[in-house]
């Protein structure tokens, strides 16, 4: 009885605090410790799974950058079914990609590439085609890992990529006649804007992805880079970016970063739009040889640092790189960690930086 009484005392002391104080304390704890906190008691479980705690984290400036990865498990019985994983740091200091089991799988129609994903704050927007007559349009709350359906798109289409400019998500894909179309979802009103936007016929909307710079959307095909300006509602080419074979790129401090795998060896490259110059990121000589057999790579802005994902045999690896500008405009990278995150036969679809 004495042992049971001692164990209950710490809990009773915490629970005797005002609710606002308890919220402030838990809001300052890393969200990766919330699963352990939820096991303490039912009250803690209700707090860490409530939207209120993530609002409080934002007000206190205690939000964290979390990486979510969309993968297709080739051994799953459902063909082209995508699942969402989160990058976690375990108690033993090992990082790994952990499947979020509370979220449903996302089957796609026609092709495993037929999907568009956009991260905005603590939410992930998903746009896809589930079968011949239906689309997937949903919003994932990354604080509570719950799903909310979005209104149906007025055009039945197979999305291939999407990005966000000033709260409006531009979704590009093919309609039923295999014509390229673009539609716009307003995240403030949570409604689709009427009509469609034409897409340049030369644009490859299957593999290279897109990136937003200076409120314009950039993408490319095998030969050219294209820019969509929503203010002018028109597509243009970018002559400087046409010199680069970039794909699966990201922006850090208004500089475009991507891994160049087309040359002898591999190089992490940076394109400064303002100065209209390109550079090779120095200081990664020990990392890049590890990627000699990599067939793909994805980079993402992780709170001002660069997270570089790449395959190594049947493993998915990630390296986190801090960036430094030095005299003469040179950019140096320092590898803070590089580890395998997941083993198995997976297709890597997308990596998203979410703030919770």
């Amino acid at each position: 009885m004495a042992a049971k009484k001692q164990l209950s005392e710490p809990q009773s002391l915490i629970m005797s605090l005002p609710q606002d104080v308890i919220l402030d304390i838990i809001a300052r704890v890393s969200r990766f410790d919330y699963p352990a906190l939820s096991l303490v008691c039912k009250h803690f479980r209700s707090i860490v799974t409530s939207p209120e705690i993530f609002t409080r984290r934002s007000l206190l400036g205690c939000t964290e950058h979390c990486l979510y990865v969309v993968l297709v498990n080739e051994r799953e019985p459902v063909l082209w079914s995508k699942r969402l994983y989160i990058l976690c740091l375990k108690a033993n200091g090992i990082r790994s990609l952990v499947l979020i089991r509370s979220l449903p799988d996302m089957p796609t129609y026609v092709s495993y590439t037929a999907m568009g994903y956009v991260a905005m704050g603590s939410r992930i927007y998903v746009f896809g085609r589930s079968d011949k007559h239906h689309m997937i349009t949903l919003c994932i709350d990354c604080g509570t890992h719950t799903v909310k359906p979005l209104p149906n798109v007025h055009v039945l289409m197979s999305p291939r990529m999407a990005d966000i400019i000033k709260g409006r998500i531009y979704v590009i894909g093919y309609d039923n006649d295999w014509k390229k179309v673009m539609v716009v979802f307003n995240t403030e009103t949570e409604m689709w804007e009427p009509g469609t936007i034409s897409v340049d016929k030369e644009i490859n909307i299957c593999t290279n992805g897109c990136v937003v710079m200076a409120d314009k959307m950039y993408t490319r095909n095998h030969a050219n880079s294209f820019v969509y300006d929503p203010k002018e509602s028109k597509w243009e080419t970018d002559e400087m970016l046409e010199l680069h074979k970039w794909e699966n790129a990201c922006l850090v401090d208004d500089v475009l970063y991507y891994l160049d795998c087309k040359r002898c060896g591999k190089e992490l490259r940076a394109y400064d739009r303002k100065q209209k110059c390109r550079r090779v990121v120095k200081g990664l000589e020990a990392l890049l040889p590890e990627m000699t057999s990599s067939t793909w790579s994805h980079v993402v802005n992780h709170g001002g640092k660069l997270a570089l994902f790449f395959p190594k045999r049947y493993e998915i690896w990630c390296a986190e790189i801090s960036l430094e500008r030095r005299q003469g405009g040179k950019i140096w990278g320092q590898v803070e960690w590089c580890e395998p995150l997941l083993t198995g036969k997976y297709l890597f679809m997308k990596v998203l930086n979410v703030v919770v």
Side-chain angles (χ1 to χ4, degrees):
M1 288 294 292
K4 287 186 177 180
K5 187 176 181 180
Q6 287 180 353
L7 286 172
S8 66
E9 282 179 359
Q11 180 176 327
S12 63
L13 287 173
I14 295 173
M15 299 302 288
S16 66
L17 295 172
Q19 178 69 1
D20 272 357
V21 176
I22 296 175
L23 275 173
D24 278 1
I25 293 172
I26 295 179
R28 288 173 165 84
V29 176
S30 171
R31 69 85 48 93
F32 293 108
D33 293 324
Y34 283 8
L37 277 176
S38 68
L39 301 176
V40 174
C41 63
K42 289 182 179 179
H43 187 57
F44 278 14
R45 189 182 308 127
S46 67
I47 290 176
V48 300
T49 56
S50 69
E52 186 179 4
I53 189 64
F54 295 99
T55 302
R56 185 66 60 95
R57 285 169 64 86
S58 180
L59 291 172
L60 293 173
C62 296
T63 54
E64 297 172 273
H65 290 267
C66 303
L67 293 180
Y68 287 76
V69 176
V70 184
L71 299 175
V72 173
N73 188 341
E74 295 189 69
R75 291 195 169 93
E76 285 288 335
V78 181
L79 187 64
W80 297 331
S81 184
K82 299 174 175 64
R83 300 296 301 270
L84 201 61
Y85 295 71
I86 184 171
L87 176 58
C88 292
L89 178 62
K90 297 182 178 179
N92 57 7
I94 296 176
R95 295 173 178 84
S96 64
L97 285 174
V98 177
L99 175 66
I100 305 173
R101 299 187 181 278
S102 62
L103 296 177
D105 60 350
M106 295 171 282
T108 52
Y109 178 66
V110 178
S111 168
Y112 65 85
T113 61
M115 216 78 166
Y117 310 89
V118 173
M120 187 185 79
S122 63
R123 291 169 288 177
I124 294 175
Y125 292 86
V126 182
F127 309 97
R129 183 83 171 264
S130 57
D131 57 42
K132 189 175 181 179
H133 304 290
H134 301 92
M135 290 185 62
I136 298 171
T137 54
L138 54 88
C139 177
I140 298 172
D141 184 324
C142 294
T144 58
H145 287 162
T146 54
V147 175
K148 181 179 76 171
L150 299 175
N152 292 327
V153 190
H154 50 276
V155 177
L156 192 60
M157 61 184 292
S158 297
R160 288 297 196 274
M161 59 187 181
D163 219 323
I164 186 167
I165 302 174
K166 293 184 176 180
R168 301 167 78 217
I169 299 176
Y170 295 79
V171 184
I172 305 176
Y174 293 99
D175 64 13
N176 277 350
D177 296 323
W178 287 100
K179 293 179 181 178
K180 298 170 188 174
V181 294
M182 180 161 65
V183 293
V184 181
F185 181 77
N186 190 313
T187 59
E188 185 175 345
T189 63
E190 295 194 333
M191 297 292 292
W192 291 95
E193 297 184 1
T196 61
I197 301 170
S198 61
V199 180
D200 193 296
K201 64 180 181 180
E202 294 184 6
I203 293 176
N204 179 352
I205 59 174
C206 292
T207 58
N208 294 324
C210 58
V211 66
V212 171
M213 292 191 289
D215 295 331
K216 297 180 182 180
M217 187 163 62
Y218 290 72
T219 187
R220 64 166 289 111
N221 61 13
H222 66 284
N224 304 108
S225 291
F226 299 89
V227 187
Y228 177 72
D229 185 348
K231 290 182 180 179
E232 302 292 333
S233 192
K234 67 178 182 179
W235 291 89
E236 299 175 331
T237 57
D238 187 301
E239 294 181 0
M240 279 299 297
L241 270 179
E242 285 179 10
L243 301 173
H244 307 258
K245 301 292 184 181
W246 63 274
E247 61 183 14
N248 301 324
C250 76
L251 213 65
V252 179
D253 295 330
D254 212 28
V255 176
L256 183 75
Y257 290 90
Y258 64 97
L259 193 70
D260 188 346
C261 302
K262 304 295 192 297
R263 301 170 182 266
C264 296
K266 289 178 170 60
E267 294 175 326
L268 182 65
R269 292 184 169 267
Y271 169 67
D272 191 318
R273 179 188 58 84
K274 292 179 180 178
Q275 299 182 10
K276 293 192 177 297
C277 65
R278 50 183 177 146
R279 306 179 188 276
V280 174
V281 179
K282 304 293 185 180
L284 304 177
E285 293 78 12
L287 169 66
L288 297 179
E290 294 287 321
M291 306 173 60
T292 53
S293 60
S294 300
T295 55
W296 54 262
S297 66
H298 287 253
V299 290
V300 64
N301 184 341
H302 187 210
K305 299 178 182 179
L306 204 66
L308 169 61
F309 288 81
F310 61 94
K312 196 173 178 183
R313 293 180 289 275
Y314 287 115
E315 294 176 325
I316 294 175
W317 283 63
C318 180
E320 186 167 82
I321 303 167
S322 57
L323 302 165
E324 178 189 357
R325 277 187 178 269
R326 296 188 180 178
Q327 192 173 5
K330 294 181 180 179
I331 301 176
W332 283 74
Q334 179 178 343
V335 179
E336 299 200 350
W337 56 266
C338 182
E339 299 174 12
L341 304 179
L342 189 64
T343 301
K345 295 190 69 175
Y346 293 91
L347 296 174
F348 195 103
M349 295 290 99
K350 185 78 173 180
V351 57
L352 300 145
N353 179 46
V354 175
V355 181
V356 290

